[in-house]
Amino acid sequence: MKLRRLFLSLGLLAGLIYLGGCALLYQQQRALIYFPRPFVTAEGSGRLTLPGDEQTQVRVTVWPGRGSGALLFFGGNADDPHLSLPLLARTFPEYTLYLLHYRGYGESGGTPSETALVGDALKLYDQIQGRHARVVVLARSLGTGVAVQLAAARPVQGLVLVTPYRSLVEEARSRYPYVPVDWLLQDRFESWRYAPRVQAPTLILGAAEDQVIAPANAEALARDFAPERVRYRLLPGVGHQSILDDPAYPQLLREALAGQGAP
């Protein structure tokens, strides 16, 4: 009888520890998703502020282009958007570049969340689209979840997703297999849900050696789009970050967003 009580007590203690761990993950989940970092000012760039209150002003870095098109860029989790600016400016000199600083990142105030980031992306599109004949979208990693929802809701002319995921739920399941993430996760970024609504020609780039987001997830996301609107390309020998240094990377971006390599 005493042994049985001991096992019951140990089981109860283990259950309480498990529930406590789940509660902690629930409370701290956004600290595990978003990693704001300081930014480096890009000389020659401008600024745009999205509509909002003084405490949550959201900033956008603007780099003027020679033509009438606009490129909206949504970076990765710990990205400084200004570090992407030199490559984008070289690759797309004819586009005005708009690089969103997520809430809590760079110059932007507030706290990041799925609702906030997607809402800010929609505000950015609505604020600038009347100034440009063509609006295309480029995103990588975390930003792909923002970009897919934007492209599903607004008529963009091109979309490129670099090392994307199908949903944060699936990513969290793989990292925390013993945690009921389906119940706990607030920011779900379910790109698979919005992909069928995207009308823009879309290029998805996966990294064969990606240790952050499995390339199979990018390929699976490609199957969620209308087949005639999407093209999937897996770059060999590169990882989540080193894909940016692949010689083929800028040319693939240019072909997709200049309308030359659209599916």
Side-chain angles (χ1 to χ4, degrees):
M1 182 65 71
K2 289 183 179 180
L3 188 60
R4 182 180 178 185
R5 288 178 181 174
L6 176 61
F7 281 130
L8 286 173
S9 298
L10 290 174
L12 179 59
L13 178 62
L16 290 173
I17 292 173
Y18 176 78
L19 290 175
C22 289
L24 183 63
L25 280 174
Y26 180 80
Q27 293 173 350
Q28 301 296 321
Q29 61 182 276
R30 287 191 170 123
L32 298 173
I33 296 173
Y34 305 104
F35 298 98
R37 58 174 290 177
F39 72 98
V40 179
T41 301
E43 186 176 351
S45 63
R47 295 286 184 278
L48 181 152
T49 301
L50 298 182
D53 60 64
E54 285 295 322
Q55 301 303 314
T56 57
Q57 285 191 335
V58 175
R59 306 293 191 184
V60 180
T61 292
V62 182
W63 186 265
R66 297 197 298 260
S68 60
L71 186 150
L72 311 188
F73 177 74
F74 305 107
N77 195 346
D79 283 358
D80 174 356
H82 289 165
L83 297 180
S84 300
L85 190 51
L87 173 64
L88 296 179
R90 288 194 307 270
T91 307
F92 301 103
E94 74 277 26
Y95 282 95
T96 295
L97 307 177
Y98 295 91
L99 292 77
L100 179 66
H101 295 244
Y102 301 142
R103 295 189 184 212
Y105 287 62
E107 293 185 304
S108 295
T111 303
S113 70
E114 179 180 6
T115 299
L117 269 57
V118 173
D120 291 335
L122 293 170
K123 286 181 184 178
L124 173 57
Y125 177 93
D126 292 341
Q127 188 163 336
I128 64 94
Q129 62 88 23
R131 310 173 191 175
H132 300 281
R134 173 180 171 84
V135 179
V136 297
V137 178
L138 168 63
R140 72 176 226 95
S141 195
L142 175 68
T144 63
V146 178
V148 171
Q149 293 191 46
L150 170 64
R154 297 292 189 270
V156 303
Q157 280 70 56
L159 174 65
V160 173
L161 307 173
V162 182
T163 60
Y165 48 90
R166 284 191 83 226
S167 76
L168 280 193
V169 178
E170 293 181 11
E171 295 300 314
R173 279 197 207 114
S174 67
R175 287 166 172 75
Y176 305 99
Y178 303 110
V179 176
V181 294
D182 294 77
W183 297 350
L184 298 177
L185 201 60
Q186 299 176 67
D187 294 352
R188 307 177 73 84
F189 285 106
E190 294 176 320
S191 293
W192 61 267
R193 187 183 299 276
Y194 299 93
R197 307 180 203 170
V198 175
Q199 298 298 306
T202 300
L203 171 65
I204 294 179
L205 293 178
E209 307 302 324
D210 199 328
Q211 299 297 313
V212 178
I213 299 173
N217 295 354
E219 186 175 7
L221 177 62
R223 293 193 291 270
D224 295 316
F225 285 79
E228 70 276 10
R229 301 196 185 281
V230 69
R231 180 162 55 101
Y232 173 71
R233 176 77 177 266
L234 181 67
L235 295 185
V238 295
H240 196 73
Q241 294 294 336
S242 61
I243 188 175
L244 306 178
D245 301 319
D246 190 289
Y249 180 70
Q251 184 60 31
L252 288 169
L253 298 184
R254 180 148 187 85
E255 287 176 357
L257 295 181
Q260 299 168 7

